[in-house]
Amino acid sequence: MSIEALFAGKWIAGPKIDNAVGRINTINGNGCRAIANYLGEDLASKAEIDETVEQYIRLIDAIRANSLKADISVKATQIGLAVSEEMAIANYSKIVEYARQKGVFVWLDMESSNTVCSTIKIYESQVKNGNVGIAIQSYLKRSIDDVKRLADEGGVVRLVKGAYKENPEIAYTEWKERTQNFRSLMNYLFEKSSEFTIATHDLELIRDAINLNRIYNRNVTVAMLLGIRNRYAYELARSGFRCSIYVPYGTRWVDYASRRLREASNLYLVLRSIVER
Ligand SMILES: Cc1cc2nc3c(=O)[nH]c(=O)nc-3n(C[C@H](O)[C@H](O)[C@H](O)COP(=O)(O)OP(=O)(O)OC[C@H]3O[C@@H](n4cnc5c(N)ncnc54)[C@H](O)[C@@H]3O)c2cc1C
């Protein structure tokens, strides 16, 4: 068994929609929303891309049928960006328009830096009609400009540190710098944006977000990944703060699990994430 497979069960709901529905029910029962993601990235086969779009339509139906408090989150490279921007925009529009009819919010994940311009373009094709959000990575030096532009357009940002290996010319590669930039982007969002999500397990940043919200009183959510510090998310929700947990499911879990393993800073935290619920 690979090391990724050992952890996959903690970080991933399971292979099927029903597994995601089960996890989301538990999360909702603990007072948090969920963000459901069907695993997969860099898909180039039309059949796989079509199957992915269909899977999101079924996921939206399952969220409605089970009265779940859940958004969905889609990756541009799983719905056609690896083939063409036009294909990704057409598939994104199909998912977003269906989700709007059903009252389900749609996030766009952010992937490696070579896809950022296209991902923002895909997002902007739907931003004016609302009900959509996009992840922005604090490790990218360009992100302050992106956050400013998206805030002006009425976009909804999910701020993350960033999970891909990037070049120091375009990215802050040191933990301290990406955390500092996270803090300044978060401050900007509190000042200029009415609705956004702070997606991190960094307890200091979460405490800062809670304190800032006492001043600004924004529609802000703290989001974490399935299997990482979820008990803390449940406590936050009990204290009255909006919280959400990202729930990936599906069979294409290797890339996702490798990113999680890479960022767990020490063995103790990885082992703790196995026993934590
Ligand atoms: C809801 C959500 C959505 C996301 N969406 C995206 C996206 O669209 N694009 C993208 O590039 N990235 C995304 N990410 C991942 C993000 O970019 C980071 O890679 C990840 O959250 C780790 O960074 P951190 O902010 O938690 O801070 P860190 O400084 O990495 O970690 C904070 C604390 O949590 C612990 N921790 C972090 N990861 C683990 C782990 N795997 N196991 C055990 N402990 C751990 C750390 O050791 C540390 O104590 C998302 C994260 C979340 C929470």
Side-chain angles (χ1 to χ4, degrees):
M1 186 193 264
S2 70
I3 184 144
E4 285 87 357
L6 187 64
F7 294 105
K10 268 290 160 194
W11 294 333
I12 290 153
K16 299 212 160 80
I17 284 190
D18 285 352
N19 303 119
V21 168
R23 289 291 184 107
I24 295 171
N25 259 318
T26 307
I27 289 166
N28 287 172
N30 281 285
C32 295
R33 284 186 75 78
I35 302 172
N37 166 259
Y38 179 55
L39 289 160
E41 46 204 86
D42 293 326
L43 302 183
S45 125
K46 170 113 176 43
E48 284 185 335
I49 292 166
D50 289 347
E51 184 268 331
T52 298
V53 174
E54 210 34 57
Q55 183 69 214
Y56 278 115
I57 300 292
R58 283 199 275 134
L59 177 59
I60 292 164
D61 286 339
I63 289 172
R64 286 306 304 247
N66 294 281
S67 306
L68 299 175
K69 293 190 183 99
D71 311 332
I72 63 167
S73 203
V74 176
K75 279 187 167 52
T77 69
Q78 70 176 166
I79 57 165
L81 187 58
V83 178
S84 73
E85 223 172 63
E86 292 68 36
M87 185 190 274
I89 289 177
N91 284 331
Y92 176 65
S93 303
K94 185 174 169 186
I95 295 167
V96 167
E97 279 156 22
Y98 190 72
R100 251 187 220 123
Q101 283 170 33
K102 303 284 177 180
V104 174
F105 190 92
V106 182
W107 290 101
L108 202 46
D109 282 4
M110 192 56 80
E111 301 174 70
S112 54
S113 57
N114 60 333
T115 65
V116 173
C117 286
S118 297
T119 303
I120 292 177
K121 189 169 165 193
I122 293 164
Y123 178 67
E124 286 177 327
S125 71
Q126 287 289 340
V127 70
K128 66 177 185 308
N129 296 320
N131 210 49
V132 286
I134 185 168
I136 293 290
Q137 299 153 325
S138 75
Y139 65 19
L140 290 187
K141 295 178 182 172
R142 58 172 287 162
S143 288
I144 183 60
D145 296 328
D146 294 333
V147 164
K148 283 182 179 167
R149 175 164 141 188
L150 291 163
D152 282 351
E153 291 170 352
V156 180
V157 169
R158 180 175 85 215
L159 188 60
V160 302
K161 282 189 186 168
Y164 298 79
K165 276 202 179 123
E166 299 294 354
N167 186 314
E169 277 169 25
I170 58 159
Y172 301 110
T173 51
E174 296 298 319
W175 180 87
K176 206 171 162 189
E177 290 175 314
R178 53 176 72 181
T179 302
Q180 250 162 19
N181 200 39
F182 193 108
R183 192 169 269 112
S184 47
L185 295 171
M186 179 165 83
N187 283 333
Y188 186 88
L189 287 168
F190 271 104
E191 279 170 25
K192 304 284 184 189
S193 186
S194 56
E195 182 183 356
F196 52 92
T197 286
I198 298 301
T200 182
H201 314 97
D202 189 323
L203 300 184
E204 249 182 64
L205 290 173
I206 295 172
R207 277 184 216 114
D208 287 355
I210 294 168
N211 288 333
L212 282 166
N213 209 39
R214 292 200 178 104
I215 302 167
Y216 291 97
N217 194 23
R218 300 302 194 201
N219 181 354
V220 58
T221 300
V222 166
M224 299 187 202
L225 300 173
L226 184 68
I228 306 175
R229 301 214 155 130
N230 291 174
R231 272 188 306 204
Y232 181 73
Y234 296 161
E235 276 168 33
L236 263 186
R238 270 196 294 279
S239 75
F241 210 87
R242 269 187 217 94
C243 279
S244 200
I245 294 182
Y246 185 98
V247 180
Y249 74 97
T251 52
R252 296 186 187 97
W253 48 263
V254 175
D255 291 320
Y256 180 87
S258 306
R259 284 196 291 275
R260 299 292 79 79
L261 262 184
R262 207 171 45 233
E263 67 208 8
S265 53
N266 65 42
L267 188 61
Y268 166 74
L269 283 161
V270 175
L271 294 175
R272 199 179 72 182
S273 111
I274 296 188
V275 288
E276 223 179 47
R277 287 209 68 80

